[in-house]
Amino acid sequence: MIIRKLVIYGFGQHEDITVELSKGINVFYGLNEVGKTTIQQFILQILFGFPQKNQQQLRYEPKKGGKYGGQIHLTDQEFGDCTIERVKGKAAGDVTVYLSNGEQGHEELLAKILRGYNRQSFEAVFSFSVHQLQQIENLSEEELSRVLLASGTTGADQLSNVKEQLEKRQQELFKKSGKVPLLNQQIASLVKQDQQLKEERKKLDSYEPSMERINEIQTILVHLQEQEQQLQIDMHQLNEYRQLAPLLDEKRKLELKISSISYTSFPANGINRYEQLQDRKLTNEATLKKVQYDYELLLSNLRAEFDGNRLNVLKELVDRDGEWREWQIQIRQIEREIQAIQQDMKTQFQLLGIIHANEQQAVIQAEVSLQQEDQFKRLLKQLEEQEEQYRFQQRTADRLQEEIQSLSLKLDELYEGMPTEKDKERLNEWYKEKEEALEAKAILQQQSEKGPEQLAKLLSIILAVISIILGITQEKMMVSIIGIVAAIIIFSLFGRQNKNSKNRSQQEKYERKIQRASSKTAEMDRLEQSIRQYDDRIALVEEQLEDKEMEQQQAAKALSKLKMYVVQSKEQLNLFLAKFQIKGNLQPELLSELFRNVRELQQSNSRMITKSEQRTQLLIFIEERLQEATNACSMACTPENLSTVVQQGYQQMLEQKHAMDNSMVRKQQLQQQLEELQLLDDTYNGELLKLLKEAGVQTSDAYYEAADQYAQFMNTTLEIRQIDAQLQMFDNKVLLLNWTIQDANNQLNQYKEQELELQQHKNVLLKEQATLQAKTEQLLQDYHYGHELQKFEQKKAALNENAKEWAITKLISSAIQETLHQLKEEKLPTVLLQAESFFKMLTNNRYETLYMNTEGRFEVLSVEGIRYSIAELSQAAKEQSYIALRYALANSLKQSAPFPIIMDDPFVHFDRLRITYMVQLIQSIAVEHQILYFTCHEDMQGQWDKANIIHVAELKNERGLTSV
């Protein structure tokens, strides 16, 4: 199994990355905290499921809250290319397996791909880290041997742990000389309780006689029960005899039938032998007749004449058969080529839309010169340019229409926001108030500075100027006229009033007007500005709308003109295409290929004419050859049977020639065969007479009758044997009774009466027993005795339960011990042999042998012949032995479990030389297993000759797929 690619959707700190892996060694390098362990856990959890939230293992859910899970793309020897996808879901996640043939599956298919391994069994063989190697230093010799044994056998570690737990539980339940275990305490308590019960029973003196009578009644009941059982046995025998009576009668009838049969013997397999002789005799007679016929036919053939000229002609035809077959091949080839040309021409005509034969003929004869093609291209180009201009103009018209609609909508929106008539009236009133305020201000100013006359003049001039300005800006001349008239009136009024000297009340009136106008100035200025802006916008939009409508009219005229040009160009092109019998509208890509298609059609037609002429010439040759063969063979020949008929005719002529040469020899052979067949016929007649004599009959009918009687004898004998076989299943005592049915019925009635008497006696005794038991129960009503008895029974039940648990644990522990022994005896030797080779390589041949001694502990033998226990080796040597066993076990499972080997920096404590030997071993193992090596040590990158180095820190910038 090779892992080709990892696609991580979201797992721990990794999100949306893809890791490409190679077949051999893959080294994941990165400093601490870059995510190496996260990738290792990703592989294990995608294959075997996400841990539950209540488990100790980390789930590595995405830190950024993305999609949880990913894919593993692998290639398996049995299942081919597979993609395993696991995402967040129920329990261990939702897994989907995609196979290369399109098949999909879930957990069941994944279990097949993983060969039934779970995560614990996979990690026990194919995954280990530096932490597991570091723990070896603190193990005792026995523990170390057990770890090495688990490394060399799959499942041994789990079985050993279970065995330890069971043995611990046995020690908690029972020890032979212990006092603390539970069973020991319960047994001591029961012994003490039994002594107390015995003391209580002695106090119940009246209890003993009743119990003795109860026991006596029990004995009598047992004896009565035995008598009743014997009666039932006798009744059963009588019933069996009643069933056997018909069989015995049938046997007597069959024996009587045998005594009436006359023929009790017959030749062995007589009918078959007789019929076989008859068949052979008939066959011999038929052969004799045929030989006689062949002899007479041979004599007639000797007198026939042989035609030598015909033989020569046929021989010549046979010699020229190769030429005939070549003609057949050529004509079939030509017909296939003609058919292909016709099919190609039909396809071309269908593409051009030409169906009728006369139209097709016209196309074939049409002129396809370069001048015609040039004219066609000019017409086509002209049409394309005009259609392009038409489409451009159409887009322009559509754009103008959209802009007009937009401006119209905008104008409607402006109309909806039109100032109200009330606002306009307020503004006109404001203009009047403003004019009056200006007049009042001018009057007051004239009075205060230059006197009444000068104030009137100044006020009149100001009012006239303001009126003119307002009239021009508002485009209302009436306002200017009114202002000028008001100025004249003010001037005249102020002049007269000044002559009469205004009073104080008039000045106060002017001041109030000025104050009232000042309070409304800001509001009225905003209203005036709003109305002015509205009028400006209306004018601008109306002007733009008018311009667009004029452009639209011009575009419509240009569009109509271009449409007319396009129609004219299409008519010219259709007239040109009519020369080629093409009607209707064709696709532009077909029009551009028109002349090429027509030229190909004409070339195909020329080739078809040439092939037809070749076919006609070959048909003439074939017809001449058929006529020649018909004359020579004296029978009609066809192209299909000419070779066969000529060959048969030639063979017949050769056979006639050979027959003429061998006729005399054949004649002598037939004469000898006739004599032998006649002799054989006499022999068969003698054998038939011998069979009739053995059966003691004279005729064939009597022979068959004797056979029928003998068959009846054998069938009757067989039936008697079958009855005897049925009788053997019954007791001989039943067969020896020799009673009539009536005697058996009478005896059965007597047995039933005896059974009834026994039952009545039992009822009397049971009644007495019940009375005595009630009496004894009254004696047991003593509260203290009953309480002690109940406690005794409860303790005894608890003892039984614990004893049962101890027995079960003992049995399971023994079974596990036997299983471990089988693992050691059957599988471990092969693994040890491979591990010994690996261990020698890792230690540079310092040790010769790695083996398990008779006590079940591992030892090594050095080259000097010194034996060391594993515990006596250095830490590095212990780790090397452990690794050698793990690699050997993985290598032994390469057929049943060809999984990759995952290592998490296990060699950090090795020196440079040991690392070199370890790398050499891993590279040799990489031939059979894919290696995934995780390390944070930079110098490990240069230890491998050929390895795929993956820098984990750089994976964060890569992006991969998100789903299948």
Side-chain angles (χ1 to χ4, degrees):
M1 179 184 294
I2 303 299
I3 298 178
R4 296 181 286 105
K5 182 168 62 175
L6 306 177
V7 180
I8 303 177
Y9 303 157
F11 196 84
Q13 61 179 302
H14 296 303
E15 183 177 358
D16 293 340
I17 66 171
T18 300
V19 183
E20 300 287 346
L21 303 180
S22 62
K23 181 180 179 181
I25 300 174
N26 297 268
V27 178
F28 289 82
Y29 167 72
L31 300 178
N32 294 330
E33 303 299 329
V34 299
K36 300 187 301 300
T37 304
T38 303
I39 294 177
Q40 178 189 4
Q41 290 299 315
F42 171 79
I43 296 173
L44 295 174
Q45 293 190 19
I46 293 298
L47 291 177
F48 300 102
F50 302 135
Q52 302 296 319
K53 292 185 177 180
N54 56 359
Q55 294 180 349
Q56 296 181 353
Q57 296 173 336
L58 297 177
R59 287 175 56 85
Y60 289 93
E61 295 191 10
K63 298 299 182 182
K64 299 180 181 179
K67 186 177 182 181
Y68 183 29
Q71 299 176 357
I72 293 181
H73 297 251
L74 54 86
T75 300
D76 187 78
Q77 297 175 353
E78 180 180 353
F79 296 91
D81 292 340
C82 309
T83 300
I84 301 172
E85 181 184 48
R86 188 182 295 272
V87 295
K88 185 176 182 180
K90 296 181 179 178
D94 296 335
V95 64
T96 305
V97 181
Y98 304 89
L99 300 183
S100 58
N101 59 3
E103 181 182 352
Q104 296 185 13
H106 300 285
E107 291 290 354
E108 296 80 5
L109 180 56
L110 179 59
K112 293 179 181 178
I113 295 174
L114 296 177
R115 276 68 172 181
Y117 275 66
N118 57 19
R119 175 166 179 170
Q120 185 178 4
S121 57
F122 177 86
E123 290 183 319
V125 180
F126 301 100
S127 176
F128 62 93
S129 65
V130 65
H131 305 292
Q132 293 172 291
L133 298 181
Q134 289 174 344
Q135 294 173 1
I136 294 177
E137 176 67 22
N138 301 322
L139 298 179
S140 63
E141 183 176 357
E142 182 178 356
E143 292 172 340
L144 183 59
S145 296
R146 191 178 63 191
V147 169
L148 294 177
L149 174 62
S151 300
T153 53
T154 55
D157 191 21
Q158 293 89 334
L159 290 176
S160 298
N161 293 334
V162 174
K163 181 174 177 295
E164 285 185 359
Q165 294 175 3
L166 293 174
E167 290 177 348
K168 182 179 179 181
R169 180 56 180 167
Q170 292 175 30
Q171 295 295 325
E172 293 176 354
L173 289 174
F174 178 74
K175 288 183 180 179
K176 289 184 178 180
S177 59
K179 296 182 180 180
V180 178
L182 183 59
L183 281 175
N184 297 73
Q185 295 179 3
Q186 289 179 339
I187 291 172
S189 176
L190 278 175
V191 171
K192 183 178 180 181
Q193 191 73 25
D194 185 58
Q195 294 295 332
Q196 295 177 357
L197 285 174
K198 288 180 179 180
E199 293 177 359
E200 292 293 329
R201 287 197 198 98
K202 292 179 181 179
K203 300 177 182 179
L204 303 175
D205 295 334
S206 61
Y207 177 78
E208 293 297 333
S210 299
M211 289 301 298
E212 290 177 358
R213 178 56 184 166
I214 290 174
N215 293 333
E216 182 182 354
I217 292 173
Q218 186 66 31
T219 303
I220 296 172
L221 288 174
V222 170
H223 180 67
L224 292 175
Q225 182 68 26
E226 292 175 354
Q227 293 180 0
E228 187 176 5
Q229 290 177 354
Q230 184 61 41
L231 278 175
Q232 290 177 354
I233 292 171
D234 294 340
M235 292 170 65
H236 179 69
Q237 290 179 351
L238 281 175
N239 287 326
E240 287 184 348
Y241 181 77
R242 293 171 66 193
Q243 295 175 2
L244 291 176
L247 288 176
L248 296 173
D249 292 341
E250 181 66 20
K251 181 179 179 182
R252 286 191 290 270
K253 291 178 182 179
L254 292 174
E255 289 173 347
L256 182 63
K257 182 178 179 181
I258 286 177
S259 63
S260 64
I261 295 176
S262 301
Y263 296 97
T264 59
S265 64
F266 196 74
N269 202 18
I271 293 297
N272 290 336
R273 289 166 58 193
Y274 185 81
E275 291 179 348
Q276 287 177 1
L277 287 172
Q278 287 283 8
D279 292 340
R280 292 173 184 173
K281 184 175 181 298
L282 292 174
T283 303
N284 187 68
E285 290 175 352
T287 305
L288 181 62
K289 290 179 181 179
K290 185 178 184 306
V291 172
Q292 289 175 349
Y293 173 77
D294 292 342
Y295 181 74
E296 294 174 358
L297 181 63
L298 179 62
L299 292 177
S300 63
N301 289 336
L302 288 173
R303 294 187 292 271
E305 295 182 358
F306 180 73
D307 190 355
N309 292 331
R310 183 184 176 193
L311 177 63
N312 294 332
V313 173
L314 288 172
K315 184 176 184 303
E316 182 180 358
L317 289 173
V318 170
D319 294 339
R320 294 161 60 191
D321 185 65
E323 182 183 24
W324 165 260
R325 295 181 184 276
E326 183 65 26
W327 290 350
Q328 293 295 318
I329 293 172
Q330 289 179 3
I331 197 167
R332 285 195 294 271
Q333 180 65 27
I334 291 172
E335 288 176 350
R336 284 195 296 269
E337 291 176 356
I338 291 174
Q339 185 178 6
I341 292 171
Q342 289 175 346
Q343 183 63 33
D344 185 51
M345 292 177 66
K346 182 179 179 181
T347 303
Q348 294 293 337
F349 281 128
Q350 289 177 351
L351 288 175
L352 295 173
I354 301 173
I355 302 174
H356 301 293
N358 56 350
E359 295 178 351
Q360 295 176 355
Q361 190 64 30
V363 170
I364 292 173
Q365 296 175 358
E367 180 185 358
V368 288
S369 62
L370 294 176
Q371 293 82 359
Q372 291 287 330
E373 184 177 5
D374 183 60
Q375 181 183 356
F376 172 72
K377 289 182 177 178
R378 288 198 305 272
L379 290 174
L380 188 61
K381 183 176 181 182
Q382 177 183 341
L383 177 60
E384 291 175 351
E385 291 176 351
Q386 291 176 353
E387 286 181 339
E388 181 61 29
Q389 293 176 2
Y390 179 78
R391 287 192 293 271
F392 175 76
Q393 195 63 36
Q394 182 66 44
R395 290 195 295 271
T396 302
D398 294 340
R399 178 178 57 79
L400 289 172
Q401 181 63 29
E402 292 176 358
E403 291 177 355
I404 289 173
Q405 292 178 355
S406 177
L407 289 172
S408 298
L409 293 174
K410 189 173 182 181
L411 190 60
D412 293 339
E413 292 176 357
L414 289 174
Y415 285 151
E416 291 178 357
M418 180 186 300
T420 61
E421 292 296 331
K422 183 177 180 181
D423 292 336
K424 293 179 180 180
E425 291 177 358
R426 288 174 58 203
L427 186 61
N428 292 330
E429 291 177 356
W430 157 246
Y431 288 149
K432 294 178 181 179
E433 292 180 359
K434 189 175 182 180
E435 290 174 359
E436 292 177 354
L438 290 174
E439 292 175 355
K441 188 175 181 181
I443 292 171
L444 291 175
Q445 186 176 1
Q446 185 178 10
Q447 290 178 354
S448 61
E449 294 179 357
K450 297 180 181 180
E453 186 175 357
Q454 292 180 353
L455 180 61
K457 291 180 180 180
L458 180 60
L459 185 60
S460 299
I461 294 171
I462 292 172
L463 181 58
V465 171
I466 291 173
S467 299
I468 294 171
I469 293 172
L470 290 175
I472 293 173
T473 55
Q474 298 293 329
E475 296 181 357
K476 297 180 180 179
M477 297 305 296
M478 185 60 67
V479 175
S480 300
I481 295 172
I482 294 173
I484 294 172
V485 172
I488 296 171
I489 294 172
I490 291 171
F491 179 77
S492 59
L493 290 174
F494 270 92
R496 286 194 299 268
Q497 289 176 358
N498 288 333
K499 292 178 181 179
N500 298 322
S501 65
K502 282 173 71 176
N503 55 21
R504 180 65 181 173
S505 61
Q506 190 68 27
Q507 290 181 356
E508 292 177 356
K509 180 179 179 182
Y510 289 152
E511 289 175 355
R512 285 195 298 271
K513 286 183 178 181
I514 293 171
Q515 186 177 4
R516 188 165 54 251
S518 297
S519 63
K520 294 182 179 181
T521 299
E523 180 184 358
M524 292 298 106
D525 287 344
R526 287 194 298 271
L527 180 60
E528 180 182 6
Q529 184 178 3
S530 174
I531 293 173
R532 186 184 301 113
Q533 288 178 352
Y534 171 78
D535 293 338
D536 293 342
R537 291 176 182 174
I538 289 291
L540 178 60
V541 173
E542 287 177 347
E543 181 180 358
Q544 291 176 349
L545 182 61
E546 183 178 358
D547 293 341
K548 295 299 180 181
E549 289 175 348
M550 291 179 63
E551 291 180 11
Q552 186 184 34
Q553 293 175 1
Q554 294 174 359
K557 292 178 181 179
L559 188 64
S560 176
K561 186 177 181 181
L562 287 172
K563 184 176 182 181
M564 180 182 65
Y565 290 158
V566 170
V567 171
Q568 291 175 357
S569 298
K570 285 184 178 179
E571 290 176 354
Q572 292 176 2
L573 183 60
N574 289 334
L575 290 174
F576 182 84
L577 293 175
K579 298 177 183 179
F580 299 94
Q581 304 300 321
I582 296 176
K583 301 176 182 179
N585 295 326
L586 293 180
Q587 297 295 327
E589 56 270 17
L590 293 179
L591 289 174
S592 62
E593 298 292 327
L594 174 64
F595 273 83
R596 183 182 62 79
N597 293 335
V598 174
R599 287 196 184 99
E600 289 179 357
L601 282 171
Q602 293 180 354
Q603 291 172 2
S604 299
N605 186 63
S606 299
R607 290 200 306 274
M608 186 173 67
I609 293 172
T610 302
K611 294 296 180 182
S612 298
E613 292 174 354
Q614 294 175 0
R615 180 176 176 274
T616 303
Q617 185 63 37
L618 285 173
L619 289 175
I620 294 172
F621 292 157
I622 290 171
E623 186 62 30
E624 293 175 354
R625 180 64 57 84
L626 287 172
Q627 186 62 39
E628 185 179 1
T630 300
N631 295 333
C633 297
S634 300
M635 63 180 295
C637 293
T638 63
E640 291 78 12
N641 67 356
L642 183 136
S643 297
T644 304
V645 171
V646 170
Q647 187 69 30
Q648 290 176 353
Y650 179 64
Q651 292 296 330
Q652 290 175 0
M653 293 300 294
L654 289 176
E655 291 173 359
Q656 289 179 12
K657 186 175 183 303
H658 291 306
M660 293 295 292
D661 296 336
N662 299 326
S663 293
M664 297 305 298
V665 177
R666 179 62 177 164
K667 179 180 177 182
Q668 294 177 357
Q669 293 175 350
L670 290 175
Q671 287 176 348
Q672 183 179 359
Q673 190 175 3
L674 284 171
E675 293 174 358
E676 293 175 354
L677 290 172
Q678 187 63 46
L679 180 61
L680 187 60
D681 186 65
D682 295 340
T683 302
Y684 288 150
N685 288 329
E687 292 291 333
L688 290 171
L689 290 174
K690 185 178 179 180
L691 283 176
L692 293 175
K693 185 177 179 180
E694 289 181 7
V697 297
Q698 300 294 328
T699 63
S700 177
D701 294 338
Y703 186 82
Y704 280 107
E705 183 179 356
D708 291 340
Q709 290 189 13
Y710 179 73
Q712 292 179 7
F713 173 77
M714 295 302 295
N715 291 335
T716 305
T717 304
L718 179 62
E719 291 179 3
I720 292 174
R721 290 176 181 173
Q722 291 175 350
I723 291 174
D724 290 338
Q726 295 180 23
L727 294 175
Q728 288 178 358
M729 294 186 296
F730 296 93
D731 191 356
N732 290 331
K733 295 180 180 179
V734 178
L735 298 177
L736 296 175
L737 291 177
N738 197 18
W739 286 351
T740 63
I741 296 298
Q742 184 63 37
D743 294 339
N745 291 333
N746 293 335
Q747 186 64 36
L748 183 62
N749 291 331
Q750 293 179 7
Y751 286 156
K752 290 181 178 179
E753 291 176 357
Q754 293 177 10
E755 183 182 21
L756 180 60
E757 292 176 358
L758 290 174
Q759 189 64 37
Q760 291 175 352
H761 190 193
K762 282 173 60 178
N763 292 337
V764 173
L765 292 174
L766 289 172
K767 184 176 180 181
E768 183 182 357
Q769 184 183 30
T771 303
L772 291 173
Q773 286 178 346
K775 181 179 179 181
T776 55
E777 288 177 359
Q778 290 178 357
L779 294 174
L780 295 175
Q781 291 299 321
D782 181 63
Y783 174 77
H784 183 69
Y785 178 77
H787 178 69
E788 293 296 326
L789 182 62
Q790 184 179 7
K791 287 171 60 178
F792 179 79
E793 293 296 333
Q794 290 175 350
K795 290 181 180 180
K796 187 167 69 171
L799 176 65
N800 290 335
E801 290 296 326
N802 292 326
K804 185 187 297 183
E805 181 183 357
W806 183 88
I808 292 172
T809 55
K810 183 66 176 178
L811 289 173
I812 296 174
S813 178
S814 300
I816 291 174
Q817 181 65 32
E818 181 64 24
T819 303
L820 289 173
H821 179 71
Q822 291 179 358
L823 287 174
K824 293 178 184 178
E825 296 296 327
E826 297 175 2
K827 190 171 184 179
L828 189 58
T830 304
V831 177
L832 277 177
L833 186 62
Q834 183 73 48
E836 180 180 300
S837 174
F838 290 164
F839 187 62
K840 290 170 67 177
M841 178 187 296
L842 292 176
T843 59
N844 196 20
N845 294 320
R846 181 177 178 181
Y847 299 99
E848 290 185 349
T849 308
L850 173 66
Y851 63 96
M852 178 179 285
N853 60 20
T854 56
E855 297 177 356
R857 297 182 180 181
F858 282 90
E859 293 183 352
V860 296
L861 179 65
S862 67
V863 293
E864 294 86 4
I866 302 174
R867 301 181 184 276
Y868 297 94
S869 66
I870 293 296
E872 293 176 333
L873 299 178
S874 65
Q875 171 68 12
K878 293 177 186 177
E879 295 176 358
Q880 287 174 331
S881 65
Y882 176 79
I883 292 170
L885 283 167
R886 288 292 290 269
Y887 285 165
L889 177 59
N891 202 35
S892 68
L893 298 173
K894 62 185 178 182
Q895 297 297 329
S896 60
F899 299 133
I901 297 177
I902 302 174
M903 293 175 283
D904 188 3
D905 235 348
F907 315 131
V908 295
H909 299 299
F910 285 13
D911 56 30
R912 185 176 301 276
L913 185 60
R914 280 192 171 97
I915 289 178
T916 301
Y917 297 148
M918 185 60 66
V919 168
Q920 292 175 358
L921 175 59
I922 292 175
Q923 289 177 342
S924 66
I925 294 173
V927 177
E928 300 290 343
H929 290 271
Q930 186 184 31
I931 303 297
L932 305 181
Y933 188 90
F934 295 83
T935 181
C936 64
H937 296 85
E938 186 175 3
D939 54 352
M940 286 300 296
Q941 300 181 68
Q943 294 291 335
W944 316 93
D945 293 338
K946 295 180 180 179
N948 178 25
I949 307 298
I950 301 168
H951 295 274
V952 179
E954 299 175 1
L955 295 177
K956 297 182 179 180
N957 297 325
E958 301 178 2
R959 289 295 180 264
L961 301 173
T962 58
S963 182
V964 171

